Amino acid sequence: MLGWIPLALLSVAGVISIRNLVNGVRAKYRLARALARDIPTRARLREALSRGDLQTARSILEDQVLALPGPVRIRAVSALDQHSQPGRASYMADLAGRGA
Amino acid sequence: MKDGLASTAVVNAKALGRRLGNFVVSVACGIGVPLAPLEAERWVKGEIDSVSWFATGVTYVAAIGLVSSSSAILIVSLLGAAALAFVYGVNMEMIFAALREHPPHQLPPPDASFAKVGIGVMSCIYLAERSLIHLIDNKPFLEV
């Protein structure tokens, strides 16, 4: 009977990790889809990325990120925060459809 | 235009290969290496002792929590590891109490099912986390 306590706790951790994964996939998919529709923004993003200007690239994505729903937006902001530093352009390059 | 598309496809294929490489290395280091002693024991003795399941389980649950990027998973995993250690202690206490009352010829092993399930659950959590980090967020293994 006592053995179910650790399993219940680990199940909670499992639910949290699955939720994080789903939110991460949704955030990236939605941002990529929004950019695929918005050709001028995508072009500006590509240009900023080709210059290596990650802060500008991040600010270009602000509007797209703000349009996302609650938990997905939080996840997208976190991912962009982590990828706005030098040498970390791959996430935004993915969104711009360039690969990295 | 065609050349541009082809070069983009090559770049994307390389990026995908790099991500998969990071993911595979991460899984090998995070699941393969910590659980290798259990496989070694099975190889040498033909079976894994319950005490080994619990010892590995408690350490593994805590370790996966510690390398997690989510503080909620860290806290819940540490509590889970402590609870698993408590279950092990209670199991052993019950066995030794039974042994004191009716001494058998051989000590019965504690039930390691919960430790086995715990290791399985934490492996799934690790896989989910690393999928997000390496395949979706595209972070290199050595930068995490």
Side-chain angles (χ1 to χ4, degrees):
Chain A
M1 188 64 198
L2 213 58
W4 292 104
I5 297 170
L7 293 193
L9 286 165
L10 298 185
S11 305
V12 173
V15 170
I16 295 168
S17 70
I18 296 293
R19 205 192 58 183
N20 284 346
L21 177 62
V22 170
N23 283 339
V25 172
R26 283 177 70 196
K28 194 166 188 184
Y29 172 72
R30 285 187 179 214
L31 279 176
R33 198 177 56 175
L35 281 170
R37 287 179 184 159
D38 191 349
I39 305 295
T41 305
R42 188 167 144 159
R44 279 194 297 136
L45 178 64
R46 282 183 175 208
E47 194 197 326
L49 287 175
S50 63
R51 285 200 314 267
D53 188 353
L54 296 180
Q55 290 308 317
T56 306
R58 193 196 184 298
S59 63
I60 289 170
L61 285 168
E62 290 281 329
D63 288 342
Q64 318 284 346
V65 170
L66 288 176
L68 296 173
V72 182
R73 182 173 61 234
I74 293 166
R75 175 68 206 143
V77 169
S78 158
L80 287 177
D81 283 345
Q82 290 172 29
H83 288 81
S84 303
Q85 296 144 12
R88 280 279 183 86
S90 53
Y91 187 84
M92 286 191 276
D94 276 350
L95 296 177
R98 287 177 57 201
Chain B
M1 180 71 181
K2 222 173 189 179
D3 282 350
L5 282 176
S7 65
T8 305
V10 168
V11 170
N12 284 337
K14 276 185 184 171
L16 183 65
R18 204 161 39 233
R19 281 179 216 189
L20 278 176
N22 284 324
F23 178 68
V24 169
V25 171
S26 182
V27 168
C29 293
I31 297 179
V33 174
L35 299 183
L38 291 179
E39 268 312 305
E41 188 175 333
R42 192 201 303 273
W43 185 55
V44 172
K45 287 171 62 179
E47 61 172 356
I48 301 169
D49 198 57
S50 304
V51 177
S52 302
W53 277 114
F54 270 104
T56 308
V58 171
T59 321
Y60 187 68
V61 168
I64 296 293
L66 285 169
V67 298
S68 169
S69 52
S70 157
S71 51
I73 293 179
L74 165 67
I75 292 165
V76 174
S77 299
L78 289 179
L79 289 174
L84 204 57
F86 183 68
V87 168
Y88 172 65
V90 170
N91 264 348
M92 291 305 280
E93 169 55 29
M94 282 162 65
I95 288 168
F96 278 107
L99 192 66
R100 277 193 296 270
E101 283 180 20
H102 313 286
H105 296 296
Q106 200 182 1
L107 199 65
D111 179 17
S113 314
F114 292 112
K116 291 176 189 173
V117 177
I119 288 173
V121 170
M122 288 318 282
S123 297
C124 294
I125 289 172
Y126 187 79
L127 283 174
E129 280 225 310
R130 294 294 148 158
S131 308
L132 178 63
I133 290 172
H134 299 302
L135 299 179
I136 310 297
D137 283 358
N138 202 3
K139 273 192 209 168
F141 172 66
L142 292 175
E143 266 188 38
V144 173

